[in-house]
Amino acid sequence: MSQGERAGRLDGKVAIVTGAGTGIGRATAVAFAREGAKVVISTSRNMDALLETQALAGGESNVIAIKADSSIAVDAKSLVDTAVSNFGKLDILCNNAGIVTDALIIDMSEEEWDRVIDVNLKGTFLTTKYALPEMMRAGGGSIVNIGSINSFIGEPLHAHYCASKGGVLMFTKTIALEHAKDKIRANCVCPGWIDTPMNWEYIATLGGPEEVDRIVSASQPLGMGQPEQVAAAVLFLASDESSLVTGTDLLVDGGFTAQ
C-alpha cells in the first residue's frame, strides 16, 4: 500500500474521540480518519490544538471538532448528538480524555481529587451513557476506553489517577457484559510510558528528560512508547477485526507490567 492510501478498515463507520487535541487522542483520530471513518473530536481546553488534529485527520468534511467537557452531561450528550446529526449514526466511541496532577494523599485537596475523577471516570461514564442508545440503534458498536498501567498498579502522588483508571477498567468490563446482546463491544487499552504532552509535565517533576530516560529504561523494557503505537491498538479494537474481543484490557506498555 502506497503512503497516504487509505486502507478502509473503518469504511462507513462514525466515531467519537474525546481529548483529541494532542497525544493518544490526536493519533487515534488521525488513524480512524485514515481508515475511512467520519470522526467527531473534542477537547475541553485547547481548541487551536484540536483544529490542528482536524487538519491532520483530513479536514472539516470528514472530521468535526467541537469544544466539550465530557465530564459535564450536556457536553457529553452534544458529542453524540453532533455525530448522529452530521453523519447519521454512531459506531465507535474512544474515551480518551484524561488529566493527572501530582499530590500525596495527605496533601491532596478535595477539589483536586474530584476533578481527576470527574474527567477520567465520570466523563467516560457520561459519553458512554449517551452513546449506547445510538449504538443500539445502529445494530452494534465498539467502545474503547483508555486506561493505564495504573489500572493495575499504584503509584505515589497519583492516588486519584490510579483510582480513576482502575475504575475505567472495571466500568469497561461491565459495559461489555451488559451490552453483548446488543452487539456492542467494550475494551480498555492500557498504556505505559508514552511520549505525550501530559507526560511531559510529569517528566519535569521527575528531574527532566535524562532522569526519565533512566526510569523508563529500568521499568519499560521496550522503552518509551509513541502515541501512534497506542492508536494502533485502539484501531484494532474499534475495527471488526476484533469482533470476538470484549471486556478485556490490552496493555500497550512495552513490557512494564510483565516484570
Side-chain angles (χ1 to χ4, degrees):
M1 181 177 298
S2 63
Q3 186 174 7
E5 183 179 348
R6 183 164 53 76
R9 293 159 73 187
L10 300 182
D11 272 347
K13 304 288 189 182
V14 177
I16 292 171
V17 182
T18 67
T22 60
I24 293 168
R26 170 176 287 182
T28 297
V30 170
F32 282 3
R34 183 190 66 227
E35 295 290 340
K38 306 289 189 182
V39 191
V40 174
I41 58 175
S42 70
T43 184
S44 63
R45 291 175 282 184
N46 189 340
M47 274 303 294
D48 288 339
L50 193 69
L51 293 175
E52 289 178 10
T53 300
Q54 182 185 50
L56 289 168
E60 296 179 15
S61 61
N62 295 320
V63 182
I64 296 174
I66 64 173
K67 189 168 187 178
D69 183 342
S70 54
S71 70
I72 299 171
V74 66
D75 282 14
K77 188 174 186 300
S78 75
L79 283 170
V80 175
D81 290 345
T82 298
V84 174
S85 62
N86 283 274
F87 300 132
K89 61 173 182 170
L90 179 62
D91 304 288
I92 299 163
L93 170 63
C94 177
N95 283 306
N96 169 74
I99 60 171
V100 65
T101 59
D102 305 324
L104 294 169
I105 295 169
I106 199 168
D107 298 322
M108 190 179 294
S109 68
E110 183 178 354
E111 292 75 19
E112 195 170 9
W113 171 273
D114 286 347
R115 185 57 184 156
V116 171
I117 296 295
D118 280 354
V119 173
N120 297 2
L121 185 54
K122 183 182 177 184
T124 297
F125 156 68
L126 285 172
T127 49
T128 300
K129 171 184 171 66
Y130 294 116
L132 284 168
E134 293 301 334
M135 289 185 172
M136 292 167 72
R137 274 188 275 275
S142 177
I143 297 171
V144 185
N145 296 325
I146 304 301
S148 168
I149 54 173
N150 295 124
S151 298
F152 304 90
I153 61 175
E155 184 177 0
L157 301 176
H158 291 157
H160 46 3
Y161 184 79
C162 295
S164 71
K165 292 301 186 179
V168 165
L169 177 56
M170 291 300 108
F171 179 62
T172 303
K173 291 179 181 291
T174 304
I175 302 166
L177 294 173
E178 288 187 358
H179 289 280
K181 65 183 182 300
D182 301 313
K183 297 182 180 179
I184 297 171
R185 299 181 297 107
N187 293 286
C188 193
V189 171
C190 298
W193 278 99
I194 307 297
D195 186 10
T196 66
M198 189 169 78
N199 272 338
W200 298 344
E201 297 175 12
Y202 186 40
I203 284 169
T205 70
L206 293 176
E210 289 186 5
E211 178 62 13
V212 170
D213 284 344
R214 185 191 68 77
I215 293 170
V216 173
S217 296
S219 62
Q220 191 157 299
L222 290 183
M224 180 74 79
Q226 295 301 314
E228 292 75 15
Q229 292 174 297
V230 181
V234 177
L235 176 60
F236 165 68
L237 292 172
S239 76
D240 293 339
E241 293 174 4
S242 58
S243 59
L244 198 62
V245 181
T246 195
T248 194
D249 49 86
L250 177 52
L251 283 151
V252 187
D253 69 348
F256 191 113
T257 56
Q259 303 173 88

